[in-house]
Amino acid sequence: MTGIDRDASGWPEAGLDAIGRLRVIEAAVPAAAASETVIDAPFDRVWAYVTDMERSIAEFDSLVGRVRIRQREPAPGGAEDLVLQAWAPGSPVALVFDVRLEPGLCLMRARGRLFLVGMAAVAEGDRTRFRHAEGVPLPGGRLLRPVVRRTSRADSRRIARLVEGQT
Amino acid sequence: MPDDGWDDLVVRARRGDALAVDALVRELSPYVGRICGAVALDHGDDAMQETFIAVLRALPGLREPAALRGWVRRIAVRESVRVARRVERTPPLDPQDPAGPALRAAGPAPDLAAVVDVRDTLARLSPEHRAILVLRDLEGWTESEVSDALSIAPGTAKSRLSRARAAFARRWAS
């Protein structure tokens, strides 16, 4: 028997970066649609903007008027688990999201309705590859895919414009 | 995670709960990454992504969540060999593994605990030989599990493993 040592350090291991993880997650969510773009700004600036959620979401998502982070707890691996409330413009009723946040990846799942919003970013030199996904894992949710795709593209474009416009 | 601990995660992931899907992916990533990396090498990341996409799309059909790990590894092997074949443009081995050019082990097996460039040696093997070496000698699967994962007869798995080890030893020594 050759007896290859399972602890041998030379064995190559594959991995998924944040964008790869978001792509994989989309595969499990019916009606998920995504858009991907390269933002002309460094990763740190992009991610600082995205994760300033009480400000940024209400700026780039036209369906959201106000956001409040209700709870924030550290999670293993440098991640954070958040509970976030989002109000549509003029609405007194908030949607509550459970959020997992880690460097380069943000997953937001609406309670009950299981609506997904995902954002992922990976540095590409001085620029940043950015992916935005939304999905509705409900029966018939696939019918909404064209709408979801449009809103995802619009959100990506606004995020790119807002970040690139920062000085 | 023990094999009987998957139920809740699998049920929630089937419903499209993105946080459960992500937890499932994080839990399985080291395991899948070892298989995909060693079989598909430079394209291991692609193989890993395709493995998880295939796993998650087929998840509603998984009857026993406790069997998740074995089911995932079959898909990981299949996708890794497929990606490696595609990029390396190697013809698949005959499923019956007929006697090809005789491979001869070059002397005693190398001390692989000290390996630093295993990757270079693996790169000179066929994807099928890489797969069987990884499953049997790195992951420690039984012959029966290996033949099941590769969809080949137990006798074929045995002879293929013997050839793969010999090929590895020969290339390692060259």
Side-chain angles (χ1 to χ4, degrees), chain A residues 11 31 33 43 50-52 59 61 65 75 86 93 95 98 109 114 121 141 153 158 161:
Chain A
W11 286 97
F43 171 86
V50 166
T51 54
D52 184 7
E59 275 185 349
D61 191 334
V93 181
L95 273 183
D98 292 303
R109 180 203 55 193
L114 299 180
R153 279 187 190 144
R158 280 193 212 101
R161 200 173 58 234

Side-chain angles (χ1 to χ4, degrees), chain A residues 2 23 32 61 93 134 151 155 160:
Chain A
T2 309
R23 284 195 188 121
D61 191 334
V93 181
E134 295 189 6
T151 58
D155 287 354

Side-chain angles (χ1 to χ4, degrees), chain A residues 16-25 102 105, chain B residues 22 25-26:
Chain A
L16 291 175
D17 64 16
I19 286 186
R21 259 173 70 195
L22 184 54
R23 284 195 188 121
V24 161
I25 290 163
E102 55 186 89
L105 185 68
Chain B
D22 184 51
V25 169
R26 278 187 281 118

Side-chain angles (χ1 to χ4, degrees), chain A residues 1-2 4-6 8-16 20-21 23-25 27-29 98 100 107 109 114 116 137, chain B residues 15-19 21-22 25-26 33-34 37-38 44-45 48-49 52 56 112-113 122 134 137-140 165:
Chain A
M1 167 156 178
T2 309
I4 295 170
D5 190 324
R6 64 173 54 218
S9 59
W11 286 97
E13 276 193 36
L16 291 175
R21 259 173 70 195
R23 284 195 188 121
V24 161
I25 290 163
V29 179
D98 292 303
R100 182 176 178 88
L107 295 175
R109 180 203 55 193
L114 299 180
L116 160 74
Chain B
R15 294 201 318 247
D17 178 339
L19 297 186
V21 172
D22 184 51
V25 169
R26 278 187 281 118
R34 281 200 303 275
D45 295 357
M48 191 169 175
Q49 186 171 301
F52 276 121
L56 293 168
L112 295 178
L122 286 173
V134 168
D137 291 339
L138 179 66
E139 294 295 332
R165 283 175 176 161

Side-chain angles (χ1 to χ4, degrees), chain B residues 49-67:
Chain B
Q49 186 171 301
E50 292 187 26
T51 295
F52 276 121
I53 288 174
V55 163
L56 293 168
R57 286 192 173 145
L59 198 60
L62 177 67
R63 289 181 188 169
E64 292 292 333

